[in-house]
């Protein structure tokens, strides 16, 4: 049994069935995520871009010359372009993503836009150990860039582990630059995950199509519905796929019974307070050196170093 099938079977065998959000991202899932970022309700991307554009000079000064920029979950490297346009003599740009075709296409676009830049895309699942390329120019330091609030898709313990791994990769003198969504009016958050065009619903449901096509599962995709609720107490959006009928699903050689109305948890999207994240970073052995937010405090970008 492959690792992926093992992981899927394990998640679907829990009393609360779950599938990791990394299975959203095949080529179609990556395209749907791009569509989400263009929705008026999905405030995250505009707010983060606004922060990047307003404070990029300060970020570039902190990052310094001849750094290597390693980006986790780079997608289309949208916000990275703002940084790349301002960083001096970057030793390398290393975008890391699980969605291979999308990553290679984005890396090629970056090469076309920044012909002097050494771009080394890495297809990897960043929740598992993976090797980073050695750039031709020895970097002065490594900066791990993790935008988009993708850290928020991990529960506390996993997010802590990931921060420790990222700091390990940044090494001595290195830093982390992390984009994080903030707690706010629950209605604004609810609308961002229940958009009027139904793109988020398509994105959520696409996970099952991806598993049917590439992992030999047999979900009846049309018999599931998207659900996204903001749990204010936990400070997180809970994304689920709810079965609209009783069905038996096969993944690998394992059968799963789904009741009518039973949900599969597909994603958490945590929303932070500035104090809460500072504590989390501290517990992971990091110090938040600088925080930038947009004027409405919708989103934050945080520069962290070893405490
Ligand atoms: N950074 C971009 C994209 C965010 S979407 C932005 O801010 O707009 C999340 C990205 O992380 C997707 O491109 C997805 O393919 C990637 N991703 C999610 N889980 C991953 C994992 N476990 N390993 C590697 N990449 C992952
Ligand atoms: C990638 N990640 C930070 C997005 C989020 O907002 O949690 C994924 C997403 N899920 C639904 N819409 C967007």
């Amino acid at each position: 049994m492959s690792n992926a099938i093992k992981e899927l079977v394990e998640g679907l065998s829990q009393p609360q069935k779950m599938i990791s959000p990394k299975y959203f991202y095949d080529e179609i899932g990556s395209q749907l995520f791009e569509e989400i970022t263009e929705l008026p309700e999905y405030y995250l991307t505009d707010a983060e871009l606004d922060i990047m554009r307003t404070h990029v000079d300060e970020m570039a000064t902190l990052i310094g010359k001849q750094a290597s920029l390693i980006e986790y979950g780079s997608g289309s490297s949208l916000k990275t372009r703002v940084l790349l346009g301002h960083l001096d003599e970057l030793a390398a740009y290393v975008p890391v993503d699980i969605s291979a075709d999308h990553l290679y296409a984005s890396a090629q676009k970056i090469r076309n836009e920044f012909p002097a830049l050494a771009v080394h895309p890495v297809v990897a699942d960043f929740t598992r150990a993976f090797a980073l390329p050695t750039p031709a120019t020895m970097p002065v330091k490594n900066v791990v860039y993790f935008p988009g609030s993708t850290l928020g898709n991990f529960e506390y313990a996993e997010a802590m582990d990931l921060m420790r791994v990222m700091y390990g990769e940044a090494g001595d003198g290195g830093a982390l630059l992390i984009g994080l969504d903030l707690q706010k009016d629950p209605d604004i958050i609810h609308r961002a995950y229940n958009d009027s065009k139904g793109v988020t619903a398509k994105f959520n449901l696409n996970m099952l199509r991806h598993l049917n096509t590439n992992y030999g599962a047999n979900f009846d995709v049309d018999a599931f519905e998207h659900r996204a609720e903001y749990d204010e107490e936990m400070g997180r959006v809970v994304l689920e796929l709810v079965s609209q009928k009783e069905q038996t699903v096969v993944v690998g050689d394992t059968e799963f019974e789904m009741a009518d109305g039973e949900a599969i948890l597909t994603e958490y999207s945590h929303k932070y307070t500035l104090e809460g994240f500072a504590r989390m970073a501290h517990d992971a052995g990091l110090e938040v050196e600088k925080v930038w937010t947009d004027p409405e405090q919708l989103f934050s970008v945080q520069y962290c170093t070893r405490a």
Side-chain angles (χ1 to χ4, degrees):
M1 211 193 280
S2 76
N3 279 341
I5 299 285
K6 250 188 235 160
E7 183 180 55
L8 290 165
V9 167
E10 204 178 294
L12 290 166
S13 305
Q14 306 294 317
Q16 163 64 76
K17 292 185 172 62
M18 55 183 81
I19 303 173
S20 161
K22 69 186 172 198
Y23 292 101
F24 283 138
Y25 301 97
D26 63 344
E27 181 59 22
I28 296 173
S30 294
Q31 294 294 348
L32 286 167
F33 180 74
E34 294 312 309
E35 272 185 57
I36 288 176
T37 62
E38 287 159 16
L39 294 168
E41 294 101 328
Y42 196 74
Y43 59 85
L44 291 82
T45 309
D46 283 348
E48 189 172 16
L49 266 175
D50 178 29
I51 297 169
M52 298 304 292
R53 289 184 181 130
T54 308
H55 300 287
V56 66
D57 287 333
E58 212 181 333
M59 293 178 193
T61 304
L62 282 168
I63 292 172
K65 285 189 183 203
Q66 299 211 328
S68 175
L69 189 71
I70 302 157
E71 180 172 359
Y72 274 41
S74 49
S76 63
S77 303
L78 179 68
K79 297 133 206 171
T80 327
R81 284 177 165 75
V82 181
L83 271 181
L84 295 178
H86 286 76
L87 289 173
D88 225 2
E89 305 163 26
L90 201 61
Y93 171 50
V94 184
V96 180
D97 207 289
I98 202 165
S99 188
D101 293 347
H102 196 75
L103 171 67
Y104 289 132
S106 302
Q108 193 49 49
K109 282 189 199 151
I110 294 282
R111 284 192 190 103
N112 296 342
E113 283 170 51
F114 301 92
L117 181 63
V119 183
H120 303 294
V122 174
V123 177
D125 174 351
F126 56 58
T127 62
R128 298 173 188 273
F130 66 96
L132 282 169
T134 314
T137 311
M138 191 62 184
V140 170
K141 69 169 159 187
N142 290 330
V143 175
V144 177
Y145 182 39
F146 199 20
S149 207
T150 303
L151 186 71
N153 297 136
F154 294 87
E155 288 193 80
Y156 185 83
E158 300 165 327
M160 297 287 283
D161 287 348
L162 203 47
M163 281 197 284
R164 290 192 186 104
V165 169
M166 289 192 292
Y167 193 79
E169 263 157 22
D172 283 341
L176 267 51
L177 186 65
I178 309 179
L180 290 171
D181 198 12
L182 298 176
Q183 293 183 8
K184 59 185 67 64
D185 177 353
D187 289 342
I188 297 179
I189 298 177
H190 185 85
R191 280 197 292 275
Y193 294 84
N194 292 279
D195 61 282
S196 55
K197 278 171 75 182
V199 183
T200 311
K202 273 196 209 161
F203 171 73
N204 197 3
L205 287 158
N206 176 65
M207 178 188 271
L208 300 181
R209 195 207 44 76
H210 173 40
L211 296 182
N212 286 352
T213 310
N214 299 304
Y215 294 93
N218 71 342
F219 291 95
D220 181 353
V221 183
D222 293 337
F224 281 88
E225 271 183 12
H226 161 74
R227 183 160 74 198
E229 304 280 0
Y230 181 53
D231 179 341
E232 203 175 343
E233 210 171 301
M234 296 296 287
R236 66 188 182 192
V237 177
V238 181
L239 243 78
E240 293 171 311
L241 288 166
V242 187
S243 181
Q244 300 302 299
K245 65 172 193 189
E246 235 180 68
Q247 54 179 302
T248 305
V249 179
V250 181
V251 180
D253 296 328
T254 314
E255 281 194 355
F256 300 95
E257 297 303 327
M258 289 219 62
D260 187 359
E262 188 178 352
I264 303 173
L265 172 65
T266 52
E267 184 178 64
Y268 287 128
S269 190
H270 290 85
K271 311 300 169 192
Y272 300 89
T273 61
L274 295 179
E275 308 72 45
F277 181 71
R279 267 197 308 276
M280 224 173 122
H282 177 266
D283 292 348
L286 295 167
E287 184 189 356
V288 178
E289 233 181 79
K290 182 80 206 179
V291 183
W292 301 272
T293 65
D294 54 294
E296 291 174 81
Q297 296 234 330
L298 295 172
F299 202 90
S300 67
V301 177
Q302 319 227 4
Y303 186 84
C304 307
T305 52
R306 191 191 290 266

